[in-house]
Amino acid sequence: VQLQAYGGGLVQPGGSLRLSCVASGRFSIINHMAWYRQVPGKQRDLVATDDRVRGIKYVDSVKGRFTISTDNTKNTMYLQMNSLKPEDTAVYYCKANMWSPTTGSVDYWGQGTLVTVSS
């Protein structure tokens, strides 16, 4: 299984971006998908999650501005980011926990996509 994240770029404060994360490979069930972000020199922080059992959750700093969604027909997860702020600048990573009969539950990470919010 591979995750490919893309959609990052340079945007002005107040602008919008949509990140995508495409999953390829063989798997049976997606238990959990999430977006994280990381600023150089700091830990990787959770931004939003979409869990098959627990539903959708956001970190307080992005509530009302970011929306996580999935398109199961395309094996793709999205992060719509609106009203972007300079403090949203980071490398964004997608993560998925997937289950298959051969591997059990495994976490997979995308390669990261840089979002820069600056005027």
Side-chain angles (χ1 to χ4, degrees):
V1 175
Q2 289 188 329
L3 300 183
Q4 180 74 31
Y6 59 94
L10 173 64
V11 63
Q12 292 186 341
S16 298
L17 279 176
R18 188 177 79 160
L19 306 182
S20 301
C21 178
V22 182
S24 59
R26 302 186 69 175
F27 54 90
S28 297
I29 298 173
I30 299 176
N31 291 317
H32 177 94
M33 299 192 78
W35 288 96
Y36 287 73
R37 63 187 179 187
Q38 186 171 25
V39 176
K42 295 189 176 181
Q43 68 180 19
R44 191 172 296 184
D45 293 325
L46 181 64
V47 175
T49 63
D50 185 355
D51 187 274
R52 188 168 60 91
V53 175
R54 298 181 181 87
I56 292 175
K57 294 184 179 180
Y58 300 95
V59 66
D60 286 346
S61 61
V62 307
K63 283 181 180 177
R65 300 189 297 121
F66 290 12
T67 303
I68 187 172
S69 62
T70 57
D71 184 340
N72 293 326
T73 64
K74 298 180 180 179
N75 291 335
T76 301
M77 175 176 65
Y78 303 99
L79 186 67
Q80 178 66 44
M81 305 185 294
N82 299 327
S83 302
L84 282 162
K85 305 175 181 180
E87 51 263 42
D88 295 318
T89 296
V91 177
Y92 284 71
Y93 297 88
C94 57
K95 188 189 87 170
N97 180 276
M98 298 181 179
W99 180 90
S100 75
T102 55
T103 65
S105 291
V106 179
D107 284 339
Y108 299 94
W109 287 89
Q111 84 286 6
T113 183
L114 176 63
V115 172
T116 303
V117 184
S118 175
S119 56

